[in-house]
Amino acid sequence: MLAYILKGAMHDEPLPAEKEVIVHQYGLLNPFDWTEDCTSELERMHAFKGRLVEIEHEYRISFDRLLERDPNLRNARQILDEHIRALSACDLSAIGEMEAFKLIPRAGQEHSGSTPERRLTALRIQVAEAYRVARKNFKDDLNNLELERRDQVKAARQQSGLWWGNYNAVIKAFEQGRRVSVLTRGVMRVEPFDGTGRFTNQIQGGISVESLVSGENIQVRVAPVPADAWSHSSRGERRRLQRTQLTATIFVRDGMRRMVTWPMIMHRPLPENVRIKEVVVSRARLDDRWLWSVVFVCTRTRVIKLGSAAAATVIAIDPGWRRTKTGLRVATIVRATGETEYFELSNRLVQAFRFADELRDRHNVLLANLRMLVSKLTAFQQAKIAGVGEACIDPANLRLPSDFRRLAELWSLDSDYDQRLVAQISHASVEYKRLYLWERNHTRKILNHRDKLYQELAVRVLKDANEILLHKIEIVEMNNNHIEAGRNGFVPDASNWYRKTAAISSLEHWMHNKGKRLGLRFKYIKSIYRQSCPSCGAFDRKNRADTLMYICAHCDHTWDRDWGTCRMMLKDHSSTT
């Protein structure tokens, strides 16, 4: 970066730039000229989405059948299923909830060498490895299967009768949901059509705000708004002046363009110097009325502002997961100028992560009890369950609250089932749903809060830097080396919980992305430095290497271990440059 700054100053080269995406949303009122043909277009989009889900289900069935031909994967899955059934068959209610709670390993606690959870984890790793090998062995067949799926999607798109802007939006949303379902091993579903949906106008090449207001584009336009609509001294007058109208394309059929107009409150102006690439009009149901909104997706070129050569600096960052009295230290940041910062997650946030684990433990205990109740069904009753789908045959496959609720509703209508058992499942499923949603929402909030803290740290730390030295901790490699040497894992079970809470990979992600946007150089350092005393330069210490504060054996000087790592990285960098 420093060389680039000097070169740019000498030859007057343009500064680097990047594309920036800006999204603005506005509220709409009920349209003036909405008719039944517009609702029919929404129904076509919903039917097209349903067809895509059907194609996906068929693809996954063929995908699984193809991989099941691999004997190693089939045997690994069979062993894993037997182990899960054995765990589910354990009657937790017979030993009481508190004893069952103790059987589930808790985060932050040390475990014995062979626990049911460790055995389950080992079996899942074996299945994952067999799965990767099977995919490699059947690579050509899987590629042909994917090509067949894409041909079916193309045929469904051609038969849908949709306008290209709408079917492209449906396919894009479906592919995003498909990626999530593959990662989470979920099942894609389509809710019944209730009139909700959205219309998408993709503007090739984009248009300027001036073209949008002047009506030059035939797809979408907005009526002009007075210049003082956002600056008038009276709030009521501003609201009145911000009233305008949006006209957008719903579909094009047989060469005829169907346009609809909505009253719109433009509460803020669109940014200057942007290109409007997409306009999405959405309709959502709220009780007996509709809520309308429009989203403008814009792009613009943002020039990266580089600091001067004098202000440029090198920063060393040592991530980790060190518990302190004030919180959980996740990063030590030392600048070449000598400024030091210790970034910590507060004790309150750490306790929030512990509470999430407690909720997960309680929810797992209740899940095991529900599976135990389902497993008490007779063979005759199990045959009846097969009528609602293969996923409900094995209690180990039941996890969502809706799975148990639907089964309870089904069994309550049949007198052949033990209604006492059905009532227990119905009652427990209500409590399970409460814990399930509580744990999921609480976890989502604390994860978002942690990511926001990491994002703000990256913005604040990297704004005046030109090069980043990042201590790269290879957990898997270190752990494997320790195991091969006949020792326990590199990360003990007691501190493994803090490692997961700190999620230093997320911190590195935000640092890397922000640094890439700013055009910074990143240097990843994997070596573990032997630290010398900052005072006398000696390498001998009085205390162990895993303590936080080091004490020199010669001069009794004390320094922070994490700070010492950053200091050695900066010292090594300065000597090589």
Side-chain angles (χ1 to χ4, degrees), residues 92-108:
L92 298 178
S93 63
I95 58 177
E97 182 175 340
M98 292 306 298
E99 292 298 325
F101 187 70
K102 296 177 183 178
L103 291 179
I104 299 180
R106 303 188 56 170

Side-chain angles (χ1 to χ4, degrees), residues 102-115 117-118 493-494:
K102 296 177 183 178
L103 291 179
I104 299 180
R106 303 188 56 170
Q109 294 181 348
E110 296 198 18
H111 311 292
S112 59
S114 65
T115 62
E117 183 175 284
R118 289 193 174 217
D493 290 336

Side-chain angles (χ1 to χ4, degrees), residues 200-214:
T200 303
N201 282 266
Q202 297 175 335
I203 304 173
Q204 298 180 356
I207 59 173
S208 63
V209 178
E210 293 76 13
S211 300
L212 176 70
V213 175
S214 64

Side-chain angles (χ1 to χ4, degrees), residues 23 79-80 189:
V23 178
I79 296 174
L80 176 62
R189 300 173 181 173

Side-chain angles (χ1 to χ4, degrees), residues 266-283:
M266 204 167 188
H267 61 277
R268 58 174 176 170
L270 289 169
E272 299 179 355
N273 303 324
V274 300
R275 302 291 294 179
I276 303 173
K277 293 297 187 68
E278 197 172 79
V279 180
V280 183
V281 178
S282 302
R283 182 172 83 156

Side-chain angles (χ1 to χ4, degrees), residues 294-447:
V294 59
V295 172
F296 293 89
V297 181
C298 316
T299 62
R300 67 180 175 189
T301 302
R302 186 178 71 90
V303 177
I304 300 177
K305 298 180 180 180
L306 303 177
S308 63
T313 184
V314 180
I315 296 179
I317 303 176
D318 181 30
W321 53 92
R322 192 177 300 281
R323 191 71 167 98
T324 64
K325 294 181 179 180
T326 57
L328 181 64
R329 183 192 295 183
V330 296
T332 301
I333 304 162
V334 179
R335 293 173 172 82
T337 56
E339 300 176 13
T340 304
E341 177 183 355
Y342 299 105
F343 182 77
E344 295 182 347
L345 300 180
S346 65
N347 279 324
R348 183 177 180 181
L349 184 57
V350 173
Q351 292 300 323
F353 274 97
R354 288 196 181 278
F355 182 64
D357 288 339
E358 293 178 8
L359 289 177
R360 192 174 302 113
D361 289 340
R362 292 164 55 186
H363 136 268
N364 285 338
V365 168
L366 193 54
L367 174 61
N369 277 282
L370 279 169
R371 288 175 172 173
M372 177 270 299
L373 293 174
V374 174
S375 66
K376 289 183 176 180
L377 294 173
T378 63
F380 173 74
Q381 292 170 328
Q382 286 283 359
K384 289 201 169 189
I385 302 177
V388 299
E390 293 185 3
C392 298
I393 295 178
D394 190 352
N397 292 329
L398 301 175
R399 183 165 188 85
L400 297 178
S402 57
D403 295 337
F404 298 100
R405 177 180 55 81
R406 284 197 297 266
L407 287 177
E409 293 176 352
L410 177 67
W411 297 336
S412 63
L413 302 177
D414 195 333
S415 59
D416 291 338
Y417 289 91
D418 186 353
Q419 294 303 312
R420 181 185 59 83
L421 178 63
V422 172
Q424 292 180 14
I425 295 176
S426 178
H427 176 74
S429 64
V430 175
E431 177 65 14
Y432 176 66
K433 179 180 179 181
R434 185 183 72 85
L435 286 174
Y436 178 86
L437 296 177
W438 189 3
E439 182 266 329
R440 188 181 66 173
N441 293 334
H442 179 76
T443 302
R444 174 179 54 83
K445 290 179 181 179
I446 58 178
L447 291 179

